[in-house]
Amino acid sequence: MKIGIVGKGGVGKTTTSSLLARALVDRGRRVLAVDTDSNPNLGLSLGLSPDATESLEPIPRSMVVGKRGDMTVAELMNDFAVLTPEGVTLMSALRVNEAGAGCTCGGHASVRSLLGEALHSETDDTIVDMEAGIEHLSRSGGTLAHADVLVLMMEPSRKAIITAQRTIGLAKELGITHWVGVGNLVTDDEARQALEEMCAEHDVPLDVIIPSSPTLAAADRKGQPMSRDDAPEVWAAIDTLVDRLTAHVGEPAAS
Ligand SMILES: Nc1ncnc2c1ncn2[C@@H]1O[C@H](COP(=O)(O)OP(=O)(O)O)[C@@H](O)[C@H]1O
Ligand SMILES: [Mg+2]
């Protein structure tokens, strides 16, 4: 599966990307996670030290991936990916190293090219932790044009749900045919109900609900991955997400 994790800032894209990647590894799959945040920190959630996360070299910009391109997928992974302590292979795509270094379009183009390739010789699942917003879907060509499925991350706020609604519109234009709606940071029944109502109102599916978890937040504050023994309610939601993604990718296209 090629999975794009998208949504408004702060809704839990990076956190969910890391938990999803780990859950897929637990199911015996080879997982590549691609951090496209210009301020990358997915590494921390996958057990890398701050230094290792900081020193992960981003993939070259404006690169054509493939046998006839600048680098094959295998070469790219060999040179730029690291195996994290959580068993997920990680690549950084868009780090901004210097102030005034220009826009990140070239990095997006490289990710788009990577996703356009057949990846199954190197990895079973590729998870792209997207930077906030929807620009990557409107950018010419669309970074996620070759994704099989989008995970629309939301928190119980109208702005997050409107972002998801806009994302669906852009995804359709790009020819993406599958998406899964995930409500995160759900504190109680009232928040859950409000989320359900707003999703229905804006025509956004709500397939999975991840509860707000103080344990998960505390692990994040420490800059460490949450243990598999902690917060079973969060892991159960992630398992549901894996099942939904697997089912969606096997299904005919959404209309
Ligand atoms: N289910 C959750 N329960 C508690 N805290 C969460 C949960 N999901 C995310 N967070 C916290 O919310 C903040 C934003 O999450 P993050 O994954 O960095 O969002 P994004 O990548 O979308 O900007 C982080 O501090 C993270 O620890
Ligand atoms: Mg993030």
Side-chain angles (χ1 to χ4, degrees):
M1 292 187 281
K2 296 172 184 175
I3 307 164
I5 314 280
V6 298
K8 196 181 137 315
V11 293
K13 295 180 294 299
T14 299
T15 307
T16 305
S17 295
S18 71
L19 297 174
L20 174 61
R22 292 170 65 195
L24 287 164
V25 165
D26 284 351
R27 294 192 184 197
R29 300 180 66 87
R30 298 167 303 163
V31 182
L32 171 66
V34 182
D35 190 342
T36 73
D37 204 317
S38 47
N39 174 26
N41 49 29
L42 181 57
L44 291 177
S45 306
L46 292 172
L48 285 186
S49 67
D51 282 350
T53 301
E54 203 53 42
S55 58
L56 184 61
E57 195 187 339
I59 61 173
R61 293 190 177 188
S62 303
M63 184 186 44
V64 178
V65 183
K67 284 204 179 71
R68 297 191 184 160
D70 303 312
M71 264 182 149
T72 64
V73 176
E75 286 166 348
L76 185 69
M77 288 188 60
N78 192 48
D79 290 0
F80 292 95
V82 295
L83 183 63
T84 65
E86 292 301 321
V88 176
T89 303
L90 175 68
M91 221 182 238
S92 165
L94 284 168
R95 171 191 295 280
V96 173
N97 287 320
E98 322 155 31
C103 83
T104 56
C105 298
H108 279 276
S110 299
V111 175
R112 181 181 197 276
S113 178
L114 172 68
L115 290 183
E117 284 300 299
L119 298 175
H120 48 253
S121 63
E122 310 303 320
T123 174
D124 298 311
D125 298 309
T126 301
I127 298 177
V128 182
D129 175 18
M130 263 296 159
E131 70 185 336
I134 54 176
E135 198 197 348
H136 43 271
L137 288 164
S138 59
R139 205 181 280 275
S140 77
T143 314
L144 291 174
H146 302 294
D148 299 315
V149 58
L150 298 185
V151 174
L152 307 170
M153 291 299 306
M154 299 169 276
E155 63 189 353
S157 80
R158 193 168 294 274
K159 286 174 186 162
I161 288 149
I162 290 173
T163 303
Q165 184 183 23
R166 290 188 186 126
T167 304
I168 293 173
L170 291 170
K172 284 181 181 167
E173 284 178 31
L174 278 181
I176 298 172
T177 50
H178 296 92
W179 44 84
V180 173
V182 177
N184 185 31
L185 292 159
V186 178
T187 44
D188 53 23
D189 283 346
E190 197 183 324
R192 184 192 179 108
Q193 200 185 335
L195 181 67
E196 286 169 353
E197 285 169 9
M198 288 186 287
C199 282
E201 199 181 317
H202 291 278
D203 236 359
V204 174
L206 183 58
D207 298 282
V208 181
I209 292 187
I210 307 177
S212 183
S213 158
T215 318
L216 182 55
D220 197 59
R221 277 198 297 277
K222 280 192 211 147
Q224 287 171 2
M226 184 177 74
S227 157
R228 282 174 176 74
D229 300 328
D230 285 339
E233 67 287 4
V234 169
W235 286 111
I238 298 295
D239 276 339
T240 308
L241 175 58
V242 172
D243 292 341
R244 288 299 170 102
L245 288 170
T246 316
H248 262 264
V249 170
E251 268 174 12
S255 54

